[in-house]
Amino acid sequence: MKNDLLLKALRGEETGRPPVWMMRQAGRYLPEYMALREQYGFFERCQTPELACEITLQPVNIIGVDAAILFSDILVVPQAMGLEVQLIESKGPVLPAPVKTRSDLQRVRVPDVNETLQYVFDAISLIKKELNGRVPLIGFAGAPWTLLCYMVQGKGSKTFDEAKAFCYTQPDLAHELLQMITDTTIAYLKGQVAAGADTVQIFDSWGGLLSPEDFKSISLPYIQQIVGALKEDVPVIIFAKGAWYALEEMAATGASGLGIDWCIPPALARKMAGSNITLQGNFDPAKLLSPIPVIKKEVNNMLNAFGNGRYIANLGHGILPNVPVDHARAFVDTVKEWSSS
Ligand code: CP3
C-alpha cells in the first residue's frame, strides 16, 4: 500500500504526521456527488457497486484524504433485516413500519448477509481494485443502539425518546432486538473485511443520548461483542458521539481507535482512554464554515493539542453539506503540512 498512514496510526506505529480523513467525506458538499444525486436515488447509489465506487473515490481524488470510506449507509442493515427504509429529501430517513411491539419483532430477522448485502461486498471489491493500494479502505456499520433508534423511532429525532421508552418499558424485547442487530452486524463486517476493508468503524451516533449507566447496559455490551469478533481480523474504531464518559470502557474493548467529538478536550480524552489506543477527531464540523486562515489556525491548535502519535485527524462528526470544498481541502492540507518539531 502506497499510503498506509491510517493503518500505521491504528497500530501505534510512527507516522511522521497524522493521517487525515473526514466522516461523511463523500456527500452533499461535493458538486460531483450532487451531480450523481440528480440522476439516481439514494439506495440506488448504495446498491450499484459502480456508483458506490465512484462516490467513495471522489474525496480521495478531489480532497486528497489519507483514507477512503465506503459509500453506503448504516440503515442498509435494518433494511436487510426486513424493515422498509426510505430516504426522503429534506426529511432524512423514514421507516414507515417501525418496531414497537413483540409482534412487530416477528417482521425482523437475522438475514444471510451474502444474500441481502452482497452488493456492499461487491462495491468493496471494486473500490479496492480502483484504489489500487493508494490509501486504505474503511468499512463501517452502525452500533446496535443507534440502529435501534431508527428501527423503533422510525425517523430521525433530537431525543430518540420513543426508542428510549421502548428500552425502558420492554427491556427484554429491546435486548432481543439489540442482539439480532449485533449478530447481523458481526456477519456484515466480517463480509466487508473478507471483501477487502482494511479497517472498520462502528458509528454510535446517538450513544451520547444515553446516561452513562444506560450506555453501559444498552450500547456498550453490543459494541464489545462486535469489537471482540472483529479485532483479530482488522483494527476496529469506535465512534460513540457524545459518550465521552465511557472512553475508558470503550478503550478496554480491545478497539484500536476511538473517535471523539469536539465537546471533550484532547488531553482529557487521552487521560481517559489511556496511552495504548489511537484517538481520532475532533474538529467541530461547523468550524469549517470559518474563513480559511481561521481554519488553518484552529486545525494547528488541534494538532498541537493531540501531538503526533496514536492520532488520526478528523472531524468530531460528519461534514456539513454547506461547507465550501476549498475549506474541506484547507482542513486536509493543514494536517498534511503540520510537523511536530
Ligand atoms: O462517511 C462517509 O462518507 C461514508 C458514507 C456514510 C453515509 N452515511 C452516507 C450518507 C456514512 C458513514 C453514513 C453513516 C450514517 N448514516 C450515520 C452515522 C454517522 C453520522 O453521521 O452520525 C447515520 C446516523 C446515518 C443515517 C442517515 N443517513 C441520516 C440521518 C441521513 C440523512 C441526513 C444527512 O445527514 O444527510 C442519511 C443520508 C446519507 N447518508 C447521505 C449520505 C451521503 C445524504 C444523502 C443525500 O441526501 O444525498
Side-chain angles (χ1 to χ4, degrees):
M1 184 141 357
K2 288 181 204 91
N3 173 353
D4 63 350
L5 285 177
L6 180 87
L7 302 175
K8 281 190 165 140
L10 286 168
R11 292 192 297 252
E13 297 168 13
E14 276 295 317
T15 52
R17 53 112 181 144
V20 55
W21 67 283
M22 294 178 294
M23 287 190 276
R24 302 291 289 272
Q25 64 190 16
R28 287 167 296 179
Y29 72 104
L30 287 175
E32 292 82 353
Y33 176 83
M34 294 309 275
L36 287 174
R37 195 175 183 261
E38 299 261 300
Q39 279 178 281
Y40 307 96
F42 182 72
F43 287 112
E44 193 180 2
R45 278 173 271 145
C46 294
Q47 287 161 8
T48 311
E50 291 72 21
L51 292 174
C53 176
E54 182 174 347
I55 297 170
T56 299
L57 293 190
Q58 284 175 348
V60 177
N61 295 330
I62 300 164
I63 313 285
V65 285
D66 293 313
I69 177 162
L70 166 71
F71 176 77
S72 186
D73 198 85
I74 60 169
L75 298 175
V76 301
V77 166
Q79 219 169 35
M81 294 179 75
L83 295 183
E84 186 191 341
V85 182
Q86 305 165 351
L87 218 101
I88 299 174
E89 204 168 320
S90 78
K91 255 185 98 182
V94 174
L95 289 77
V99 178
K100 304 279 183 193
T101 63
R102 178 156 296 277
S103 78
D104 292 332
L105 199 63
Q106 320 242 288
R107 289 185 279 118
V108 179
R109 60 176 183 272
V110 176
D112 178 346
V113 293
N114 294 313
E115 263 164 37
T116 49
L117 292 161
Q118 185 62 42
Y119 65 87
V120 175
F121 309 145
D122 292 342
I124 290 176
S125 307
L126 189 58
I127 294 162
K128 284 294 285 183
K129 185 164 151 263
E130 293 292 318
L131 275 176
N132 194 21
R134 273 183 286 165
V135 292
L137 175 64
I138 305 167
F140 70 88
W145 155 248
T146 287
L147 290 182
L148 179 144
C149 282
Y150 290 100
M151 293 170 85
V152 172
Q153 191 95 14
K155 55 184 187 299
S157 164
K158 282 203 165 67
T159 58
F160 283 101
D161 53 336
E162 293 171 44
K164 286 184 172 180
F166 179 79
C167 294
Y168 301 150
T169 58
Q170 303 178 84
D172 293 347
L173 205 54
H175 283 282
E176 255 176 71
L177 179 55
L178 288 164
Q179 191 59 53
M180 290 171 79
I181 301 169
T182 302
D183 295 343
T184 307
T185 301
I186 289 171
Y188 178 46
L189 288 176
K190 283 196 173 273
Q192 292 188 25
V193 172
D198 298 292
T199 172
V200 294
Q201 176 159 316
I202 302 165
F203 284 89
D204 200 2
S205 304
W206 311 123
L209 294 180
L210 296 168
S211 70
E213 268 193 19
D214 284 347
F215 184 81
K216 270 170 221 168
S217 63
I218 296 172
S219 185
L220 187 65
Y222 300 97
I223 292 177
Q224 165 92 64
Q225 285 186 47
I226 297 167
V227 175
L230 267 298
K231 72 182 167 113
E232 306 303 331
D233 304 335
V234 286
V236 181
I237 306 168
I238 307 172
F239 171 62
K241 185 172 181 295
W244 60 272
Y245 48 74
L247 283 174
E248 193 181 338
E249 286 84 356
M250 289 191 277
T253 60
S256 298
L258 290 182
I260 54 172
D261 64 42
W262 57 97
C263 296
I264 179 163
L268 179 57
R270 177 52 77 198
K271 193 171 160 219
M272 294 182 75
S275 55
N276 209 13
I277 194 159
T278 301
L279 293 176
Q280 171 176 281
N282 71 341
F283 204 72
D284 178 351
K287 267 210 179 132
L288 289 184
L289 299 169
S290 315
I292 287 178
V294 176
I295 294 174
K296 288 194 169 283
K297 185 170 162 287
E298 299 258 351
V299 172
N300 275 307
N301 289 346
M302 172 179 82
L303 297 170
N304 292 332
F306 281 101
N308 191 22
R310 295 230 78 148
Y311 173 58
I312 299 162
N314 204 319
L315 308 175
H317 200 187
I319 189 167
L320 300 164
N322 55 344
V323 169
V325 174
D326 55 336
H327 289 214
R329 206 180 280 117
F331 174 78
V332 169
D333 286 344
T334 307
V335 179
K336 291 182 168 181
E337 287 155 14
W338 182 80
S339 90
S340 56
S341 53

